[in-house]
Amino acid sequence: MEQTTGGFTGFNLSAAGERDQATLESIQFNEEIERIIAPAPENISSFTALLGLPPAQAKEILHSPNCDGVTAAAFPTYGEQPLCHINDQKPHILHSSSGTSTLPSNSALIERVAKFSVFAEENSPPEEPNLAPLSPGANLNRVKHEPPETDSNPKPTPVIPSNPSIEHKNERAAKRKEREKKDKESSKKSKSVVDETSGDRDKLPYVHVRARRGQATDSHSLAERARREKINARMKLLQELVPASPQISGTALVLDEIINHVQSLQRQVEFLSMKLAAVNPRIDLDLDSILATEGASRADCNFPDMVTPPVWQEVLVNGNRQQYQHQWQFDAFNQPIWGREEENRNFMTPESSLLSYDSLANSAPLHSNHLEMEL
Amino acid sequence: MQNPRSEKLEFLQKWMEGMGKCTSLKKNMSLLERKKAIKVSADLAMASTRTESKCWSRALIANIASRDHNSKVLTEHVIGSSQCLRLRKAFTSSSFSQLKNKRMLNRTRKIMKRRRRTVRSRVKKVVMADSIARRLVQKRTEMLKRLVPGGDLMDDDVSLIEETLDYIQSLRSQVQAMRCLLATSQLMNCS
């Protein structure tokens, strides 16, 4: 990924200005939201209260056994979860699984949990009405599950690496649900507590999702959860791609960063094409003529990675000053923003980072105003 | 994952082709025309490296081809007329207008919902953070859809995010290539 690392150096510097703007904006957002939430009651029965609490307390509350106050509907469509939750799930489940020695594939489950744990709490009461439609199968399954857990525990393992046949999927899902429910009922006497992991998405072509303790297990919510997990995985990838956002958590802010980044890239393309048009009086400069000149050989080598700008900088500083005067002469229009950006680009010294920071910071307020107007 | 270097070379080649075609279409272009020619050729070249796999490239090409006659000729030259024909079939005026109607329908529905919500909110003045968060996210996805070419054709978020990922990568490489070319041409001009 050399191209991206090269790009990063350039973009980290240029995005610094936007980042400041964005953090300022996000601080304003947070204040707004807190102001709105402050009069809300302090009980756990609303998501708004959670948002008002500091993250550590929220974690604690959400982890506590009586989490059924927090409804599924309280969570936004993207399933906003701070990244700290994912790390917290892992020790929680590790701890509970060490108590049960009968689960054969402990480590595999734990790995999967660590990779794909989703923290979405839903009401446990919906489980009860779910038993009703599945009752004809339930009796059969219950007979099967009468023998102790040593019998039931080997069953999860053949289920998990199952073959991708979609027509069996619903049947297996139903059986699995029943097994889990039976397990849960028997587990009230502190038997196997950990049966629940979320499915493996990378290895199998279709989704294997197991319900977490205290969650609804109808197919709709399973599918919904799978979808949300997919989205979150992709969002994490995007976060890595966009500079300066690994510490941001929360979908809206991440999307903000992404939008900023895309807009800045598009603007850069526009600006660079303008500059190219200004530099060459005729645009059909082909590769041959470039390759013919001596400096081009250096350009070709450096082309894949922009990691060696210092070679260019001294040369460019001298060249640009002369060029600059030419440009001002035959520039047909002098829009102030273009002028400012050109000025900044011409001085490609170590301060170039600061200057490009400036030019983008100037254009960032336009975007933030636009956003605020929308809201 | 294709070789990034070969991809970049391909991009450069196509870009040069496009620019050559532009000059053949019209000599002595003004600054703005030149800028537009450069940008359009670069966009086409960038999109052509991804046509088969991603939707945004196809949508971008279709947009450019539908602008005016010159652009259409240019796209056919760069992309290849057979592929261009295929793309135009995919994004033909009839199906595109259907999509446009669908988009307009979605927008009117949203406006109606917004109107109903404002009426209802006068009745009960309860502010829920979850709805705020949801609305923020929705607004941002809408904006992202407007930015990424062909974004509003995608209804599900997963494909939108994938398209954005790819689009960001391609934009980055495009910007890198342009910067490099700029540096070389400046070097050439001064030496």
Side-chain angles (χ1 to χ4, degrees), chain A residues 69-90:
Chain A
V70 182
T71 60
F75 281 80
T77 47
Y78 271 91
E80 272 185 29
Q81 342 154 4
L83 291 171
C84 51
H85 278 144
I86 296 174
N87 292 328
D88 276 340
Q89 280 294 317
K90 185 171 164 189

Side-chain angles (χ1 to χ4, degrees), chain A residues 1 3 6-8 11 29 36-37 48 51 73-78 80 227 231 234-235 238 241 243 251-252 255-256 258-259 261-263 265-266 268-270 272-281 283-287 290 293 295 299-300 303-304 306 312 315-316 319-320 323 331 333 345 367 370-371 374-375, chain B residues 1 4-5 7-9 11-13 15-16 19-20 22-23 29 31-32 34-35 37-39 42-43 127-130 132-134 136-141 143-144 146-149 156-158 160-162 164-169 171-190:
Chain A
M1 292 282 270
Q3 63 189 59
F8 270 143
F11 287 104
F29 273 169
I36 292 169
I37 289 165
T48 58
L51 274 186
F75 281 80
T77 47
Y78 271 91
E80 272 185 29
R227 180 179 157 268
I231 288 176
R234 301 280 191 310
M235 294 283 284
L238 261 178
L241 198 61
T251 318
L255 278 177
D256 235 0
I258 293 167
I259 289 175
H261 194 53
V262 168
Q263 275 182 338
L265 282 172
Q266 283 176 341
Q268 273 178 4
V269 165
E270 290 260 352
L272 280 170
S273 61
M274 173 68 71
K275 197 130 203 270
L276 272 172
V279 158
N280 301 316
I283 67 169
D284 59 350
L285 216 60
D286 48 353
L287 276 174
I290 291 178
T293 64
D300 262 19
F303 183 36
M306 300 277 284
W312 292 105
V315 180
L316 282 170
N320 283 344
Q323 207 60 40
D331 249 355
F333 58 95
R345 292 256 171 217
H367 171 63
H370 179 58
L371 260 188
E374 277 202 309
L375 289 174
Chain B
M1 173 99 171
R5 193 174 187 140
E7 263 191 19
K8 287 197 170 166
L9 283 175
F11 166 77
L12 259 186
Q13 262 176 349
W15 190 17
M16 294 301 158
M19 291 210 285
C22 280
T23 37
M29 297 189 266
L31 180 75
L32 286 174
R34 260 180 286 146
K35 171 231 171 189
I38 290 175
K39 177 161 188 291
D43 284 339
V127 174
M128 299 288 290
D130 57 342
I132 291 176
R134 215 175 297 159
L136 285 179
V137 166
Q138 256 179 15
K139 280 229 146 78
R140 277 151 180 78
T141 33
M143 232 185 129
L144 193 59
R146 260 181 272 151
L147 278 179
V148 175
D156 53 341
D157 309 316
V158 181
L160 179 66
I161 292 181
E162 282 178 6
T164 328
L165 268 169
D166 205 51
Y167 186 54
I168 287 179
Q169 271 182 335
L171 272 180
R172 267 198 193 159
S173 56
Q174 192 186 14
V175 167
Q176 242 178 8
M178 291 176 110
R179 276 207 188 126
C180 223
L181 188 66
L182 189 65
T184 13
S185 54
Q186 278 176 339
L187 191 68
M188 269 176 51
N189 278 348
C190 74

Side-chain angles (χ1 to χ4, degrees), chain B residues 45-162:
Chain B
M46 171 178 78
S48 70
T49 63
R50 289 271 199 278
T51 344
E52 293 310 313
S53 46
K54 288 295 169 193
C55 174
W56 63 263
S57 48
R58 296 191 289 262
L60 184 62
I61 293 174
N63 277 338
I64 291 176
S66 58
R67 266 184 227 166
D68 55 38
H69 180 68
N70 275 344
S71 327
K72 179 172 151 198
V73 169
L74 178 63
T75 50
E76 278 177 5
H77 178 84
V78 172
I79 305 291
S81 46
S82 60
Q83 217 177 19
C84 204
L85 209 67
R86 230 190 306 151
L87 285 170
R88 304 202 92 227
K89 268 194 211 158
F91 290 92
T92 47
S93 48
S94 60
S95 65
F96 223 16
S97 63
Q98 273 176 15
L99 287 162
K100 274 188 200 159
N101 290 339
K102 182 172 125 181
R103 265 180 253 164
M104 280 181 13
L105 198 65
N106 285 339
R107 272 188 215 142
T108 46
R109 270 197 213 127
K110 279 180 200 158
I111 294 171
M112 294 307 292
K113 252 195 239 173
R114 224 176 288 155
R115 281 207 197 125
R116 254 183 274 145
R117 215 183 289 156
T118 53
V119 171
R120 246 186 254 152
S121 69
R122 281 188 215 128
V123 178
K124 40 175 182 174
K125 288 190 178 175
V126 176
V127 174
M128 299 288 290
D130 57 342
S131 59
I132 291 176
R134 215 175 297 159
R135 221 181 316 149
L136 285 179
V137 166
Q138 256 179 15
K139 280 229 146 78
R140 277 151 180 78
T141 33
E142 279 170 36
M143 232 185 129
L144 193 59
K145 279 187 184 172
R146 260 181 272 151
L147 278 179
V148 175
D152 43 2
L153 304 172
M154 287 173 268
D155 285 329
D156 53 341
D157 309 316
V158 181
S159 53
L160 179 66
I161 292 181
E162 282 178 6

